[in-house]
Amino acid sequence: MFGKKAQPPIKSLIAQGTRIEGNMKFHEGLRIDGEVFGDIRASDQSSLLVISEAAVVQGEVQADHVIINGTVRGPVHARELLELQPKARIEGDVSYVALEMHQGAIISGQMRPLVMGAEDEKPLLKLASKSA
């Protein structure tokens, strides 16, 4: 369901060594390798946000597809899919429709599945297998 949809291209990059202070809005895809102190929100549908291993975000994060392998201090809202890679560290509440969490990822907060459609429909939870 979620894996078959084409991801939007990453058109913006916050490079390692860069520090942004203030709230941000972005279109389509954004990759963060640096530091952001403020809220990050996708301003359109079909958005992709990648927070790399070296990245630190202090603020609220909101996008359709969120991939985290760095540190986020604040709530995370994935309107479709949240991927937590092995070095992901989240200090805040997390909401998602589908979740993929690798071994080693840490969440210090509440996890709230978002239900799309019928009230009795359960959110998709995918367990990531450990690569050899």
Side-chain angles (χ1 to χ4, degrees):
M1 177 175 173
F2 296 104
K4 298 184 193 311
K5 190 165 108 176
Q7 291 185 1
I10 293 179
K11 293 187 173 183
S12 300
L13 168 69
I14 297 172
Q16 192 168 1
T18 302
R19 179 181 172 131
I20 305 281
E21 294 184 12
N23 297 336
M24 299 177 53
K25 283 190 177 180
F26 71 95
H27 294 282
E28 295 184 349
L30 170 65
R31 179 183 171 102
I32 300 173
D33 293 338
E35 297 177 312
V36 176
F37 292 86
D39 297 344
I40 303 170
R41 295 179 191 271
S43 59
D44 58 6
Q45 295 297 326
S46 188
S47 57
L48 171 65
L49 174 62
V50 178
I51 300 172
S52 75
E53 182 178 342
V56 175
V57 174
Q58 188 161 328
E60 184 175 355
V61 170
Q62 187 174 48
D64 292 332
H65 185 173
V66 181
I67 301 170
I68 300 174
N69 200 27
T71 301
V72 177
R73 294 182 187 103
V76 176
H77 305 285
R79 293 184 294 254
E80 289 181 9
L81 175 62
L82 174 61
E83 291 183 48
L84 301 178
Q85 295 181 345
K87 297 196 183 220
R89 303 289 179 263
I90 299 175
E91 298 172 15
D93 295 344
V94 173
S95 59
Y96 56 89
V97 172
L99 173 67
E100 180 176 327
M101 185 172 183
H102 291 253
Q103 183 175 354
I106 296 174
I107 299 173
S108 297
Q110 294 185 0
M111 297 173 64
R112 295 186 181 103
L114 300 173
V115 178
M116 296 185 73
E119 288 184 25
D120 58 346
E121 184 179 332
K122 295 190 179 178
L124 174 67
L125 177 63
K126 180 179 176 185
L127 299 176
S129 62
K130 186 175 179 182
S131 300

